[in-house]
Amino acid sequence: MIGRPRKRLCTHVNIFVGCILCLSFLVSLTSISYFSGRVPTEQSRSHPLTAAADQTVLRQQVTHQSAFPDKTLHQKALNRTESRGHVDKLPAGTVKHQQPRSQQLLRTLASAPSPPPLSQQESTVLCGGHRARTCADCIAGHDGGWCHGECAMFGGTCQPKSVRDSATIPQIITELIKEYPFQPVRSVPYSEPLNIVFVRSPPGESHKQDIERYKDKILFLGICSMEDFPLPSPNPFSENFSVDAYTGLLPGWLHMFRHPETIFPSHVKLLLQSQSDFSAPSVDLAPQEKKYDFVFSGTDQNVASDCVGWASFAKNWTFVKQALEVMCGEYGMTGVLVASKDKQGRRACTIPKICEGKVLQTSFLPQWQFFDYVRQSKFALLPQVHDASPRAATHALALDTPVLMNWHIMGGWKYINEQTGEFFHDMTDFRQSLQKLINNLGNYR
């Protein structure tokens, strides 16, 4: 019982009656749940909010079985029920006597089949989002992405996780990094794997189980690489979770926050370093002739929807179009919008008409070709906000190209100083920052 104990003790009669009522309710709840296809879990029985929700659902199932939003849906359901022989067809004009709902429910429960004994139920394993007879059956007709939960890929097959436990640490890491959230750490210059694994995106339940399972063998560290992770992103196309869901999950973080002490618990070790710090291009750094004023690294993932979607939100495409009005219209600038066309080169994201003939839109490019455009541009535009690890910034600076960056960016702000580029906050100071960058183009190094 939750709350303060009552001052008066109940009488033996009240206790006896209360126990009977509780027992009856639990039996009814179990029977109704089984009949309706909902088997209450241990969590739903113990959690007061979940239990209340289940009771609400049960009441709706009992008292509103014939409630439909409109007559059409009601008639369709009635037709389906009649076709299955579940409605008695009476002669026209006959009025059928309606039994009380409580009696109908009792009759229904009495006739409902009982669940088979536990000993007769087939043993299954949890594959993640589904169950199968064995781990090998988890991926029947599918790839290794269906092997999760109590199972894991090992040696090319889906096996119980206990099999992987006996493997060597390098073997375990080799299997772990096949899942996107996990990233290996290798020694330099020999590129040998270490017993350290980075967690670079929100881990699922099976990934969290792996972290807990191998934390004594492998050091799991967080690294800022995707959106605002470990914080939730306001991107409407992204997964939503609580602000403290991952901040205390790991013993240490390579982060990109200006004020990490307000985000992580005190026991978490911190280092100001993010994924983009490891992304300097290894290409010929010889300068090229400047053909364009600016370059922007976009994404072709949302071209079909005119750059509306997860990737375009992350790139702050709506701001890009506002900035283009200023750069093309007021300054007469030329530029390159990389990956703003589909892979076939037929369809492109809409840009202001004032930029027609001044801006080149490309499909997704090989990295070396993108680097050429960076070296051929006077500066790189980085308008994004929810970007933990802007590799376009490190690429541009390594190729001797200054950066005009959004001050509100989650990561990468540490790259900008008086020698590398300029910040802007929004459109209110964009022109001022742009002009300052133009005036100092010969001074950045």
Side-chain angles (χ1 to χ4, degrees):
M1 181 180 294
I2 300 175
R4 299 178 60 184
R6 295 183 178 180
K7 294 182 179 180
R8 297 181 180 179
L9 296 176
C10 297
T11 63
H12 293 292
V13 174
N14 287 338
I15 296 175
F16 179 74
V17 173
C19 291
I20 292 178
L21 292 175
C22 291
L23 180 60
S24 301
F25 173 75
L26 290 175
V27 171
S28 300
L29 181 62
T30 304
S31 301
I32 296 173
S33 298
Y34 173 72
F35 176 70
S36 62
R38 290 170 51 87
V39 179
T41 62
E42 289 298 325
Q43 182 179 7
S44 66
R45 293 192 184 101
S46 60
H47 198 293
L49 295 179
T50 307
D54 283 345
Q55 292 177 35
T56 302
V57 171
L58 291 173
R59 284 197 297 269
Q60 292 173 349
Q61 290 173 344
V62 172
T63 62
H64 301 290
Q65 292 179 3
S66 62
F68 288 87
D70 56 54
K71 293 182 179 180
T72 302
L73 291 178
H74 179 268
Q75 186 60 45
K76 289 181 179 179
L78 186 61
N79 293 340
R80 287 197 301 269
T81 308
E82 289 178 347
S83 66
R84 296 173 184 172
H86 290 168
V87 173
D88 296 331
K89 297 185 177 180
L90 302 177
T94 303
V95 178
K96 185 175 181 180
H97 174 67
Q98 297 292 329
Q99 293 182 340
R101 290 186 181 275
S102 60
Q103 295 184 19
Q104 295 178 15
L105 177 62
L106 290 175
R107 291 177 181 274
T108 302
L109 293 177
S111 61
S114 301
L118 188 62
S119 59
Q120 298 179 13
Q121 297 181 11
E122 185 177 11
S123 177
T124 61
V125 296
L126 179 64
C127 306
H130 67 292
R131 303 190 71 92
R133 188 172 58 85
T134 66
C135 286
D137 295 328
C138 287
I139 59 174
H142 303 283
D143 57 20
W146 289 65
C147 181
H148 294 292
E150 299 171 347
C151 310
M153 293 298 296
F154 186 74
T157 60
C158 186
Q159 302 186 34
K161 284 189 174 180
S162 57
V163 174
R164 191 168 67 182
D165 292 346
S166 59
T168 64
I169 292 178
Q171 289 175 326
I172 295 174
I173 292 178
T174 298
E175 298 300 328
L176 286 177
I177 61 177
K178 293 178 180 178
E179 303 289 334
Y180 182 81
F182 298 128
Q183 189 171 29
V185 179
R186 303 182 184 276
S187 64
V188 177
Y190 304 107
S191 192
E192 295 178 354
L194 305 176
N195 63 330
I196 301 173
V197 170
F198 285 150
V199 181
R200 61 180 173 177
S201 66
E205 288 302 318
S206 64
H207 303 133
K208 288 189 281 189
Q209 292 173 9
D210 288 333
I211 293 172
E212 180 65 24
R213 195 180 192 96
Y214 301 116
K215 65 181 182 180
D216 294 332
K217 296 181 178 180
I218 300 170
L219 177 61
F220 290 93
L221 297 174
I223 185 169
C224 291
S225 175
M226 182 178 182
E227 295 187 295
D228 298 10
F229 179 69
L231 298 180
S233 170
N235 192 324
F237 304 96
S238 295
E239 175 188 2
N240 190 22
F241 49 85
S242 63
V243 294
D244 58 352
Y246 303 109
T247 53
L249 177 66
L250 305 168
W253 270 88
L254 282 68
H255 74 93
M256 45 51 175
F257 297 105
R258 286 182 169 94
H259 303 287
E261 68 280 358
T262 65
I263 297 171
F264 296 97
S266 58
H267 70 273
V268 177
K269 306 300 182 183
L270 301 172
L271 178 65
L272 182 60
Q273 191 168 38
S274 51
Q275 181 85 33
S276 52
D277 292 351
F278 303 94
S279 300
S282 55
V283 298
D284 181 13
L285 298 181
Q288 292 191 15
E289 178 187 356
K290 300 297 183 183
K291 300 179 180 179
Y292 310 97
D293 290 303
F294 65 89
V295 61
F296 166 74
S297 176
T299 171
D300 64 351
Q301 295 181 19
N302 307 132
V303 173
S305 57
D306 198 20
C307 279
V308 176
W310 176 85
S312 296
F313 184 96
K315 292 290 186 177
N316 203 4
W317 177 252
T318 55
F319 184 91
V320 172
K321 292 197 290 186
Q322 296 178 40
L324 287 174
E325 292 276 7
V326 174
M327 293 188 294
C328 295
E330 299 179 22
Y331 284 82
M333 288 184 168
T334 61
V336 184
L337 301 177
V338 176
S340 60
K341 268 188 175 182
D342 60 21
K343 290 180 171 58
Q344 294 73 33
R346 299 172 182 172
R347 186 171 181 175
C349 296
T350 303
I351 61 175
K353 290 187 178 298
I354 195 65
C355 293
E356 292 181 1
K358 300 176 182 177
V359 171
L360 172 66
Q361 293 183 261
T362 78
S363 300
F364 186 84
L365 301 175
Q367 197 169 64
W368 66 267
Q369 195 171 354
F370 166 67
F371 291 161
D372 282 344
Y373 280 120
V374 173
R375 287 187 289 176
Q376 294 168 9
S377 300
K378 296 177 182 178
F379 69 93
L381 174 66
L382 272 81
Q384 52 262 47
V385 176
H386 303 285
D387 189 342
S389 180
R391 277 153 277 220
T394 51
H395 292 162
L397 295 177
L399 296 172
D400 201 26
T401 302
V403 175
L404 182 59
M405 179 181 286
N406 194 327
W407 184 92
H408 299 286
I409 195 168
M410 294 300 295
W413 50 268
K414 61 185 179 181
Y415 301 135
I416 303 303
N417 54 45
E418 65 277 1
Q419 297 181 343
T420 58
E422 302 294 337
F423 280 119
F424 64 88
H425 290 77
D426 49 37
M427 286 306 299
T428 61
D429 67 347
F430 180 77
R431 294 172 178 84
Q432 177 183 350
S433 299
L434 177 61
Q435 187 62 57
K436 185 178 179 181
L437 183 139
I438 294 173
N439 295 340
N440 293 325
L441 282 176
N443 300 325
Y444 299 116
R445 62 180 187 276

